[in-house]
């Protein structure tokens, strides 16, 4: 809970790695997870005398992301050199864009406590990624050594800089989740936060409630999960409030997030643009984007999350909550669309996706694209429920086995002996046995206590190991208890 005497100001700088096959200024592969320092060349290693050549796909992806985020696409932009000395940057400068980026003045709407709120996007610029440092200790502050993998160096990035329009960690999280979804839908990035394809720096300050003057800004670097970002912001806001209350000064600085200890730690004083000694890159010509090119990209923009959400509500009658959950991930939305093409009961499909499927994906930390249960397999299982081959309860067991093994539902049912019992004489015998074993419940039900029926049904299902047809069990019990 934020102290009501203070107002929080948050802006995010989000870095997203683009899904190109090669790096931004050379032909080295961008494939993730390869042998360290195996995807390098004189160009991305910063050797003298090598000239950069801009990857055209990077510009196309920048235009696509800019249009999806309601930005103006600039006809003229240029690259600059940003100078700093650090082991992850072999040339000692990063090729980026300073004063003339490719996209300006966009926005993204989030849902803030049930009210739509517009978050401004100041700019989007193209740049090359730095290499990856692998630290020897738990944190950068406690490491005795660091190793450098130059495979990532020179990979294409977009930096998406928001206006300082967010007023709570929750709003920052909502903004980042929505931004990630849009980037996934446009397919400019795979947005795998665990692989560093999407990470953000959070700028945060506090000021007295009602003030128009922002407080001292602190930057928290390299946050690579929604949870880490939200927790880091909550801690940092409280730290700043306590410092102000105690009369301690706040410094404009860059801090790191220690996930284990749950604290931010000072790294260095915060640099200004002048500290980086920017100047236009003399080896790269300006980027000229024609209106025809922008219009072509605009025509080919895919359906974005908000439009898809509205379609699921209007076309399938899904509740807004269901549509929000499903469209938050392009992969899940594609899965849903594939299912309802085969099976018209959209709400039934939605329930299975939001319940068992998401639960198992989260438990196994799997992406929907890695899921062994295809839409066709799920629909086959739903049809087996409709046909009375298995009960809804047994289906949950079948689905878990399908998820684990990738086997079709018919095979799982056969192997596990899970066919539903619909033989009336068999169920009749079990019902008689349960009634004989539970005279008190029978008496309660006949005295008007409806809840006793639930207990008796449960006992029959237990006796049948969940395989009895629940509809027939209910009917027979009611018949015998008249």
């Amino acid at each position: 809970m934020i102290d009501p005497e203070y107002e929080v100001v948050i802006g995010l700088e989000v870095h997203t790695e683009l899904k190109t096959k090669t790096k931004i200024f050379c032909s080295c592969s961008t494939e993730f997870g390869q042998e360290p320092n195996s995807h390098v060349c004189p160009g991305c290693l910063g050797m003298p005398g090598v000239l950069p050549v801009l990857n055209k796909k990077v510009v196309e992806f920048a235009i696509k992301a800019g249009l999806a985020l309601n930005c103006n696409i600039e006809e003229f932009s240029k690259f600059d050199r940003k100078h700093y000395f650090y082991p992850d940057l072999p040339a000692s400068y990063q090729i980026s864009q300073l004063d003339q980026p490719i996209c300006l003045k966009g926005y993204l709407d989030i849902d803030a406590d049930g009210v739509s709120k517009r978050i401004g996007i100041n700019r989007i610029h193209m740049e090359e990624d730095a290499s990856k440092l692998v630290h020897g200790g738990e944190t950068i502050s406690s490491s005795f050594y660091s190793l450098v993998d130059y495979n990532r160096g020179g990979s294409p990035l977009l930096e998406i800089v928001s206006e300082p329009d967010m007023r709570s960690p929750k709003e920052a999280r909502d903004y980042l989740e929505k931004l990630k979804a849009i980037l996934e839908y446009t397919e400019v990035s795979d947005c795998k936060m665990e692989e560093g394809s999407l990470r953000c720096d959070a700028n945060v300050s506090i000021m007295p409630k009602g003030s128009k003057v922002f407080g001292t800004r602190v930057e928290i670097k390299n946050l690579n999960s929604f949870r880490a970002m939200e927790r880091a912001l909550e801690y940092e806001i409280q730290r700043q409030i306590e410092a102000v209350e105690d009369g301690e000064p706040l410094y404009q600085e860059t801090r790191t997030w220690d996930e284990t200890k749950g604290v931010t730690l000072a790294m260095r004083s915060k640099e200004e643009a002048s500290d980086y000694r920017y100047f236009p890159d003399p080896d790269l010509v300006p980027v000229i984007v024609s209106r025809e090119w922008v219009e072509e990209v605009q025509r080919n923009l895919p359906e974005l999350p908000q439009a898809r959400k509205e379609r699921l509500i209007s076309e399938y009658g899904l509740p807004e909550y269901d549509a929000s959950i499903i469209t938050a991930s392009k992969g899940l939305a594609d899965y849903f669309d594939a299912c309802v093409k085969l099976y018209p009961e959209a709400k039934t499909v939605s329930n299975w996706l939001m319940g068992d499927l998401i639960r198992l994906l989260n438990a196994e930390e799997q992406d929907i694209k890695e899921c062994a249960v295809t839409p066709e397999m799920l629909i086959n299982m739903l049809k087996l429920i409709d046909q009375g081959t298995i009960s809804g309860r047994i289906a949950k067991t079948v689905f878990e086995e399908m998820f684990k093994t990738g086997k079709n539902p018919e095979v799982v049912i056969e192997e596990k002996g899970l066919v539903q019992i619909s033989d009336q004489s068999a169920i009749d015998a079990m019902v008689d046995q349960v009634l004989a074993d539970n005279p008190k419940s029978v008496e309660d039900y006949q005295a008007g206590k409806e809840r006793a029926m639930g207990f008796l049904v449960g006992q029959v299902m237990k006796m049948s190991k969940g395989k009895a047809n629940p509809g027939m069990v209910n009917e027979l019990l009611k018949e015998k208890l008249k």
Side-chain angles (χ1 to χ4, degrees):
M1 177 68 75
I2 298 170
D3 189 327
E5 297 296 317
Y6 294 91
E7 190 166 2
V8 174
V9 179
I10 299 170
L12 297 184
E13 297 171 10
V14 177
H15 295 84
T16 186
E17 201 166 280
L18 298 178
K19 208 164 59 175
T20 56
K21 291 181 179 174
T22 57
K23 296 184 179 180
I24 184 170
F25 297 121
C26 68
S27 58
C28 289
S29 170
T30 56
E31 189 175 358
F32 180 80
Q34 298 305 300
E35 185 74 16
N37 298 312
S38 60
H39 289 172
V40 294
C41 70
C44 54
L45 285 177
M47 299 291 182
V50 184
L51 293 176
V53 178
L54 178 60
N55 184 338
K56 185 179 178 183
K57 200 71 177 173
V58 173
V59 183
E60 181 188 320
F61 280 177
I63 297 170
K64 187 184 274 191
L67 290 171
L69 293 167
N70 308 294
C71 291
N72 296 328
I73 310 301
E74 299 299 296
E75 291 186 17
F76 179 98
S77 69
K78 66 177 179 63
F79 285 99
D80 304 277
R81 291 185 178 182
K82 176 183 180 182
H83 293 81
Y84 62 91
F85 181 73
Y86 209 60
D88 63 2
L89 201 62
S92 291
Y93 64 82
Q94 178 188 30
I95 302 177
S96 182
Q97 294 190 295
L98 176 62
D99 54 340
Q100 291 183 290
I102 189 165
C103 307
L104 287 169
K105 297 178 181 173
Y107 64 85
L108 190 159
D109 293 332
I110 64 169
D111 182 31
D113 296 325
V115 179
S116 180
K117 178 174 179 178
R118 182 154 294 181
I119 307 297
I121 291 174
N122 179 284
R123 55 186 279 147
I124 300 176
H125 64 257
M126 302 176 284
E127 63 184 20
E128 60 178 343
D129 204 352
S131 304
K132 183 179 179 182
L133 294 177
V134 181
H135 303 299
E138 288 185 2
T139 69
I140 187 173
S141 305
S142 61
S143 293
F144 292 102
Y145 67 89
S146 295
L147 304 175
V148 190
D149 180 2
Y150 289 102
N151 281 356
R152 197 179 72 179
S155 294
L157 284 184
L158 290 183
E159 180 170 339
I160 302 168
V161 183
S162 82
E163 298 290 356
D165 291 341
M166 289 158 270
R167 292 292 176 270
S168 70
K170 172 71 167 52
E171 286 189 8
R173 178 172 183 143
D174 289 348
Y175 168 83
L176 189 59
E177 286 180 343
K178 200 155 189 182
L179 179 62
K180 176 175 181 282
I182 289 173
L183 295 172
E184 282 180 337
Y185 273 67
T186 53
E187 298 186 332
V188 301
S189 172
D190 60 25
C191 294
K192 292 181 178 174
M193 299 180 85
E194 69 280 10
E195 294 180 5
S197 298
L198 188 79
R199 54 191 191 270
C200 82
D201 304 334
N203 291 289
V204 56
S205 64
I206 59 166
M207 59 185 179
K209 195 79 176 176
S211 173
K212 300 296 181 189
V213 181
F214 291 175
T216 302
R217 178 166 55 100
V218 166
E219 180 186 47
I220 312 172
K221 292 289 284 185
N222 289 327
L223 299 165
N224 62 359
S225 75
F226 298 119
R227 182 172 180 270
M229 185 196 68
E230 200 167 6
R231 289 181 67 213
L233 284 170
E234 287 168 353
Y235 173 85
E236 181 58 24
I237 290 164
Q238 190 58 36
R239 185 191 73 82
Q240 292 186 22
I241 290 174
E242 289 177 7
V244 170
E245 295 280 314
D246 293 343
E248 297 173 1
L250 288 172
Y251 300 101
Q252 183 167 311
E253 61 184 354
T254 297
R255 298 177 74 87
T256 184
W257 170 243
D258 186 324
E259 180 73 31
T260 306
K261 295 178 180 173
V263 298
T264 61
L265 301 167
M267 292 174 69
R268 58 179 182 267
S269 60
K270 175 66 181 161
E271 299 89 348
E272 299 290 352
S274 58
D275 295 322
Y276 290 115
R277 294 165 289 122
Y278 280 96
F279 65 76
D281 193 306
D283 291 337
L284 285 161
V285 296
V287 179
I288 307 298
V289 176
S290 69
R291 285 300 98 190
E292 290 76 16
W293 192 7
V294 174
E295 288 166 4
E296 182 186 345
V297 175
Q298 178 87 61
R299 280 195 299 275
N300 292 307
L301 269 184
E303 184 182 41
L304 295 175
Q306 184 62 30
R308 197 156 191 176
K309 176 182 164 184
E310 290 168 5
R311 178 169 65 78
L312 296 195
I313 293 171
S314 63
E315 192 171 329
Y316 299 111
L318 284 189
E320 183 170 352
Y321 176 77
D322 292 36
S324 296
I325 298 289
I326 290 170
T327 56
S329 154
K330 181 177 185 295
L332 194 63
D334 288 345
Y335 194 100
F336 174 84
D337 272 340
C339 285
V340 293
K341 279 183 183 173
L342 304 168
Y343 189 79
E345 300 297 328
K347 180 57 180 157
T348 302
V349 173
S350 166
N351 289 344
W352 275 93
L353 265 55
M354 294 196 306
D356 296 74
L357 181 60
I358 289 180
R359 175 178 62 79
L360 291 170
L361 289 172
N362 288 340
E364 297 298 323
E365 297 183 347
Q366 259 187 36
D367 187 88
I368 183 72
K369 292 175 184 170
E370 302 165 332
C371 180
V373 182
T374 64
E376 292 77 12
M377 290 163 68
L378 172 61
I379 296 311
N380 282 346
M381 191 195 74
L382 296 182
K383 289 178 178 175
L384 290 171
I385 298 173
D386 293 346
Q387 292 161 9
T389 306
I390 54 174
S391 65
R393 183 173 173 179
I394 288 291
K396 291 184 176 296
T397 304
V398 173
F399 187 77
E400 284 201 8
E401 190 66 14
M402 289 163 61
F403 187 90
K404 196 189 306 178
T405 64
K407 292 179 179 176
N408 284 313
E410 297 88 344
V411 175
V412 174
I413 293 166
E414 176 70 25
E415 287 181 352
K416 300 282 183 184
L418 297 173
V419 175
Q420 181 169 253
I421 299 171
S422 296
D423 180 281
Q424 181 156 346
S425 60
I427 297 176
D428 201 56
M430 286 187 275
V431 167
D432 287 342
Q433 184 65 49
V434 166
L435 292 177
D437 293 345
N438 298 277
K440 179 70 168 59
S441 297
V442 172
E443 187 180 321
D444 287 346
Y445 178 75
Q446 289 174 333
K449 295 181 180 177
E450 295 285 335
R451 291 178 62 184
M453 175 60 80
F455 174 78
L456 294 168
V457 170
Q459 292 305 300
V460 177
M461 296 306 292
K462 184 178 178 184
M463 184 177 286
S464 70
K465 297 181 180 174
K467 293 192 284 186
N469 184 318
M472 292 178 68
V473 171
N474 265 290
E475 282 181 20
L476 281 170
L477 277 169
K478 286 178 182 172
E479 180 71 26
K480 290 174 183 287
L481 290 171
K482 279 183 180 174

